[in-house]
Amino acid sequence: MSSTTPSTHFPRETAVDVRNLRFRYGSHEAVKGIDLSIARGEIFALLGTNGAGKTTTLELIQGYRVPSEGTVTAFDLDPVKDGRALRRRAGFMMQEAGLIPEMTVRESLCMWRDLSSRRDDVDATLAKVELTHKASTRVEALSGGERRRLDLAMTIWGSPELIVLDEPTTGLDPDSRQTLWRLVRNLKEQGSTIILTTHYLDEAQALADSVAMMHQGQVAVQVEDHPAARTGAAHHRNHRCAHLRARPRPLHRFHRLPHR
Ligand SMILES: Nc1ncnc2c1ncn2[C@@H]1O[C@H](COP(=O)(O)OP(=O)(O)OP(=O)(O)O)[C@@H](O)[C@H]1O
């Protein structure tokens, strides 16, 4: 079942379009024919429990996996065939970042700069993720939240138009989550389109303009953009997910919805 609230007041420019997307790991179908439409400039949350298919969907959007069926386009590019062109415009933060424990924060970002085809400034990027004061600290001495912010620094290097974050706040304490949320909102204000996955309904409510809830490879519920979200006006921010807040439901309630 899919319940969609269509937008009628503003034109909706699509950044990422997913049609009848399916993916099988051998005989196990992890993504079972999903449709998603993600607007430019919005924060889109893909919500769901462990094993729902969120990471697989992100990997398909990034072109790391080839769909078994269906299509993905990002900025009208095919993520598999046009992977290089897409990577110039997109930053991806997966659950594990592969940072080198002995390197400092600055060294890590300098190494990233040398590997990246995108140009940016190390100090400015550290400032964006609020890690300037940790520039000389070794990665192994960072807190979980600080590590995640260093991951984010690499992801946003060169100000990509599309930012994909796989569970950016899982395992973080409330303060670290709030900091991450603030940074994600800043990235949206600067014009990026953001797709994130989360297990937390409160995170989707706090951050997202649009939400899709996945369960066992299907989209069980989808709530599209509140029209006010696209104006960029600060005074509208609290109303973005008004339709979600009006009927707050714990995550487990959604799991009882029938599948398509
Ligand atoms: N490499 C793989 N080989 C086989 N099955 C896999 C593989 N990766 C994921 N799966 C399976 O596919 C399904 C979807 O996994 P996926 O990681 O996409 O879910 P998820 O919603 O991201 O979960 P989590 O919240 O735990 O990260 C799960 O049943 C998982 O066991």
Side-chain angles (χ1 to χ4, degrees):
M1 190 181 87
S2 171
S3 77
T4 301
T5 308
S7 306
T8 52
H9 296 85
F10 296 87
R12 194 174 193 278
E13 199 183 340
T14 303
V16 176
D17 193 51
V18 168
R19 296 278 167 90
N20 189 31
L21 185 64
R22 292 180 180 270
F23 185 80
R24 288 180 208 93
Y25 293 103
S27 60
H28 175 63
E29 192 169 40
V31 177
K32 301 176 181 169
I34 65 169
D35 297 308
L36 300 171
S37 175
I38 298 164
R40 269 186 194 258
E42 76 171 352
I43 300 177
F44 184 94
L46 199 51
L47 190 62
T49 48
N50 290 123
K54 305 180 299 297
T55 299
T56 304
T57 301
L58 290 193
E59 289 172 349
L60 289 158
I61 289 172
Q62 294 167 65
Y64 291 167
R65 296 193 185 279
V66 180
S68 304
E69 280 177 48
T71 57
V72 179
T73 51
F75 304 126
D76 296 323
L77 298 168
D78 176 329
V80 177
K81 292 188 187 131
D82 310 314
R84 185 178 285 220
L86 180 60
R87 278 189 287 280
R88 278 198 288 272
R89 299 172 66 178
F92 304 111
M93 184 169 103
M94 302 314 283
Q95 288 177 33
E96 297 290 333
L99 297 168
I100 299 171
E102 295 79 16
M103 291 178 83
T104 68
V105 167
R106 179 186 294 283
E107 286 166 350
S108 303
L109 203 50
C110 287
M111 188 177 75
W112 189 251
R113 175 196 59 199
D114 297 342
L115 292 171
S116 176
S117 58
R118 297 195 294 255
R119 295 190 173 189
D120 210 334
D121 180 78
V122 169
D123 290 321
T125 305
L126 286 179
K128 276 187 199 167
V129 298
E130 302 179 11
L131 278 180
T132 303
H133 63 298
K134 294 285 178 181
S136 304
T137 302
R138 284 154 70 113
V139 166
E140 62 194 355
L142 296 176
S143 70
E146 289 162 351
R147 269 185 203 222
R148 222 50 187 132
R149 279 168 19 228
L150 180 53
D151 295 344
L152 186 64
M154 295 170 174
T155 305
I156 67 170
W157 181 261
S159 302
E161 291 164 74
L162 175 65
I163 297 171
V164 179
L165 308 172
D166 196 5
E167 296 183 25
T169 68
T170 295
L172 300 189
D173 65 41
D175 280 353
S176 299
R177 287 180 80 207
Q178 292 286 342
T179 304
L180 237 310
W181 289 3
R182 188 173 65 248
L183 298 178
V184 170
R185 288 191 189 105
N186 290 347
L187 294 168
K188 177 195 154 100
E189 294 297 326
Q190 288 156 20
S192 294
T193 303
I194 296 156
I195 306 173
L196 60 89
T197 65
T198 181
H199 296 147
Y200 309 122
L201 184 56
D202 69 326
E203 182 157 290
Q205 287 179 314
L207 277 180
D209 302 306
S210 302
V211 177
M213 180 164 305
M214 283 190 80
H215 181 55
Q216 295 183 351
Q218 296 180 308
V219 173
V221 177
Q222 189 164 2
V223 184
E224 275 186 11
D225 198 333
H226 188 284
R230 283 187 302 281
T231 67
H235 66 274
H236 281 141
R237 202 166 297 132
N238 291 333
H239 302 295
R240 279 177 188 164
C241 280
H243 45 292
L244 280 176
R245 288 200 187 96
R247 292 182 292 117
R249 282 189 276 183
L251 189 52
H252 69 271
R253 294 280 303 278
F254 286 103
H255 297 161
R256 298 198 192 116
L257 290 168
H259 297 158
R260 277 187 290 187

